[in-house]
Amino acid sequence: MINVIRMLNRGRSRAERARAWLVAAGTGLATFLVCTAVSLADYKDEGGSLTGLALALLALPVAGLVHQSNRLGSATRERRLAGLRLAGATPDDVRLLGALEGGRLALAGSLAGAAVYVVTHLSGPLIQVPVVMAVMALGGALSGARAGRNVIASPLGLVRRSRLRGPRAADLYRFVAGACLFFLGFVMKGSFPLAGKYGAAVAITAGAVLMLFGATLATTWVIRVSARRAARRAGSPEMLLAARLVEADPRAWARALSVVGLTVFFGAGAGAQQAPVGYHHAHALVDAALLVALVTSAAALVVHQAEELLDHRRSFAALAASGVPERALGGVLVRQAVIAALPICVVAAVAGTLAVIVPLADHYQVGWLGWAAGRAVAMAGIGVLAAVLVALAARPLLRDTLRLERLRA
């Protein structure tokens, strides 16, 4: 299997090499963030612990980018996967190949991220570095295996099946369970029955992770409703086509925009927490990390846009061949971004603000609400604007998709 990976790597295109670099860079950044977060964890220093928690949670958008890149890789390797199937490889062999490749790239990225952390934290704790590296490598392998679990290329490469999933009730249950665990950690701070003195921090962290993923995936319901509403009120063919495309696969958009949603969530929550006075150094670090998260969000959207155009390349090429101008199809991309990003950003901004205000309701002053609301609106607008800008920047990819050669079987 290692020899097969080497042969495939020798035949990679420029786009596939860029994807590999993106996976490695994302894993390295996530490794650095998690190692730094662990070094800041101190149950006696609430400001440092909050900063560490924010940095650890900001590694989740980066992990989402890595998984998106692995998914794009499984889609762009169709011909070679079909060749492997024709040579006798089973679907499990193909998934194992993806796991090995994803694990190898994740290991290389985690080594680079760990090296940067060690150089910049020579006087800090280093015992967590090998553990974080092992977790990142394992996560990359699982991501590579799961990226193609719903995609099966036929031996002749003529059929590529992808099972589309709509909204699921499990997403709502995940959000409710995370919210309960999150608030339980706050209420029982200092007396949590599990994990000793760090029990409340572990409960808050686990609850936040469940709540974030649950809220992001649960917005699939909201995206589908938004797309149906836009389709009913569509005043142009571009809006109707965009709404129907989003409605056909809302879960893919929710998954792709999860990175943007997490960034908006953290930005709104940080704004609500920055309204009171104190912890200025911690807030500055969180804002700096948010800038990194915004860049990561844009990269994740670019990856999703490429995957979206790859999946619909024959349909778009057929529309172009029938006389639909390129500008109209570019407008479809922009409208898709607005229809899908607006509900996710609004939900994330409201959830991020409430996650800070509700636990501090007894101490939160009315005068601080204006700053918190303004920060939430600004973060939601930034998220939607990022999605629109990525759609506008995808014109070269769209132009390549509209070539008549895409109509060939």
Side-chain angles (χ1 to χ4, degrees):
M1 190 65 70
I2 300 298
N3 292 331
V4 174
I5 293 179
R6 290 175 178 173
M7 289 188 294
L8 293 179
N9 288 337
R10 284 197 295 266
R12 287 189 304 180
S13 63
R14 179 181 301 177
E16 289 174 328
R17 289 194 296 270
R19 182 197 63 83
W21 278 104
L22 193 60
V23 172
T27 308
L29 178 59
T31 301
F32 178 82
L33 289 175
V34 174
C35 288
T36 306
V38 174
S39 67
L40 292 173
D42 186 355
Y43 75 102
K44 294 181 180 180
D45 182 6
E46 186 176 355
S49 297
L50 288 175
T51 304
L53 175 61
L55 291 177
L57 293 179
L58 280 174
L60 295 177
V62 183
L65 170 62
V66 172
H67 185 62
Q68 282 291 110
S69 301
N70 281 327
R71 282 178 52 85
L72 179 62
S74 66
T76 55
R77 293 193 299 268
E78 285 183 25
R79 291 185 178 179
R80 287 183 292 171
L81 294 181
L84 292 175
R85 293 294 310 281
L86 191 62
T90 65
D92 290 336
D93 293 333
V94 174
R95 296 187 183 100
L96 177 60
L97 186 66
L100 291 175
E101 183 178 3
R104 181 182 61 84
L105 293 174
L107 180 60
S110 63
L111 282 172
V116 174
Y117 171 79
V118 171
V119 171
T120 56
H121 295 77
L122 289 176
S123 60
L126 302 177
I127 190 173
Q128 77 274 17
V129 174
V131 178
V132 174
M133 287 177 56
V135 172
M136 292 299 169
L138 179 61
L142 292 177
S143 175
R146 288 177 59 84
R149 71 188 188 279
N150 295 327
V151 178
I152 301 175
S154 67
L156 296 179
L158 298 179
V159 178
R160 179 176 177 266
R161 300 195 304 273
S162 180
R163 184 175 56 190
L164 301 180
R165 289 183 176 180
R168 296 189 298 179
D171 301 330
L172 299 177
Y173 299 151
R174 189 180 293 111
F175 175 78
V176 173
C180 294
L181 196 59
F182 183 84
F183 291 110
L184 184 64
F186 267 106
V187 172
M188 302 186 66
K189 185 183 298 184
S191 60
F192 201 79
L194 301 175
K197 59 185 179 182
Y198 294 106
V202 172
I204 292 172
T205 303
V209 172
L210 286 174
M211 196 164 49
L212 290 175
F213 278 106
T216 301
L217 294 177
T219 50
T220 303
W221 302 81
V222 184
I223 291 176
R224 174 168 286 183
V225 172
S226 174
R228 288 177 177 174
R229 184 181 180 89
R232 287 196 300 268
R233 298 188 174 186
S236 65
E238 293 87 351
M239 177 61 75
L240 180 60
L241 179 58
R244 292 307 183 192
L245 287 174
V246 174
E247 184 183 358
D249 195 9
R251 191 175 183 83
W253 277 99
R255 183 178 56 248
L257 289 167
S258 61
V259 184
V260 179
L262 292 173
T263 304
V264 173
F265 178 92
F266 288 128
Q273 192 178 17
Q274 288 171 4
V277 179
Y279 300 124
H280 297 292
H281 181 65
H283 292 157
L285 288 176
V286 172
D287 286 338
L290 281 172
L291 292 177
V292 177
L294 284 174
V295 177
T296 306
S297 302
L301 286 174
V302 170
V303 172
H304 170 71
Q305 195 70 75
E307 183 182 10
E308 182 80 5
L309 290 174
L310 183 65
D311 289 339
H312 297 96
R313 60 188 182 276
R314 289 187 176 87
S315 300
F316 277 86
L319 289 173
S322 63
V324 179
E326 178 184 334
R327 177 178 297 181
L329 295 177
V332 171
L333 299 183
V334 173
R335 288 167 174 80
Q336 277 185 284
V338 173
I339 293 172
L342 185 60
I344 281 190
C345 291
V346 170
V347 171
V350 173
T353 304
L354 293 180
V356 174
I357 294 178
V358 173
L360 303 176
D362 296 336
H363 309 286
Y364 213 84
Q365 299 180 12
V366 178
W368 297 341
L369 295 177
W371 172 267
R375 178 68 176 256
V377 172
M379 289 305 302
I382 290 173
V384 176
L385 179 62
V388 172
L389 291 177
V390 168
L392 291 174
R395 291 297 178 89
L397 295 176
L398 176 64
R399 192 173 298 112
D400 180 73
T401 303
L402 299 183
R403 291 184 303 173
L404 296 182
E405 290 83 355
R406 300 297 184 184
L407 293 174
R408 296 177 180 175

